[in-house]
Amino acid sequence: CFDVQGERSSDDCLGFIDEESMEWMCEDRCLSESGGLACGTTSHFTSFAVLLGGGASGGDGTACGSNDDGFMTGVWWGDSIIIASFIGLAVCTGLFVVLLFIANPRFRDTVRGRMSKEQYQRLQRRRRSQALAEMESEHEGGMVV
């Protein structure tokens, strides 16, 4: 935000010097006022100034806020492309999961919460070895007749 001395108009903008062309460029053509200061937004850090009469009208002659048509991209077909892209991504992701489910038994068993044959056999071997170890420890202790 900048303290602007003098009369402000709707043509004021937040501007910076383009070091290549050595010309003032308007960064934010729609300044707001906060506590007597002129405030704007920028996407980069450099030295800024409020340009009085800097041309707040857009390149198409529209003033600030008058081109609010409700589209993110400014045109209906641009928004339609974005929406279609997200729908396409969701469909492709869904198809990928379905193909994994169909083609990969390990993935299918994991989703269903079942063990694979190898996991089941490993668990059975471990249980048998634990049972044998318990029986041997009981036998050594003299508990088995």
Side-chain angles (χ1 to χ4, degrees), residues 70-84:
F71 297 113
M72 287 188 316
T73 60
V75 291
W76 68 268
W77 55 267
D79 287 4
S80 299
I81 290 172
I82 291 173
I83 292 168

Side-chain angles (χ1 to χ4, degrees), residues 88-145:
L89 179 66
V91 168
C92 288
T93 302
L95 287 175
F96 180 73
V97 169
V98 167
L99 287 176
L100 268 177
F101 194 78
I102 291 170
N104 190 341
R106 182 171 286 172
F107 178 78
R108 183 174 48 240
D109 291 340
T110 302
V111 170
R112 289 181 177 166
R114 290 194 257 171
M115 288 188 259
S116 68
K117 186 176 182 180
E118 297 86 20
Q119 290 172 325
Y120 180 75
Q121 289 172 346
R122 194 172 348 142
L123 180 63
Q124 291 297 91
R125 283 194 302 267
R126 181 175 291 160
R127 285 181 180 166
R128 275 191 227 123
S129 66
Q130 286 175 346
L132 285 174
E134 286 177 14
M135 288 173 52
E136 288 176 0
S137 67
E138 290 175 4
H139 181 67
E140 291 174 3
M143 298 180 91
V144 175
V145 179

Side-chain angles (χ1 to χ4, degrees), residues 26-48:
C26 283
E27 177 75 12
D28 186 354
R29 297 180 183 277
C30 299
L31 300 180
S32 61
E33 192 166 330
S34 175
L37 301 175
C39 300
T41 58
T42 180
S43 61
H44 59 90
F45 294 107
T46 187
S47 296
F48 284 90

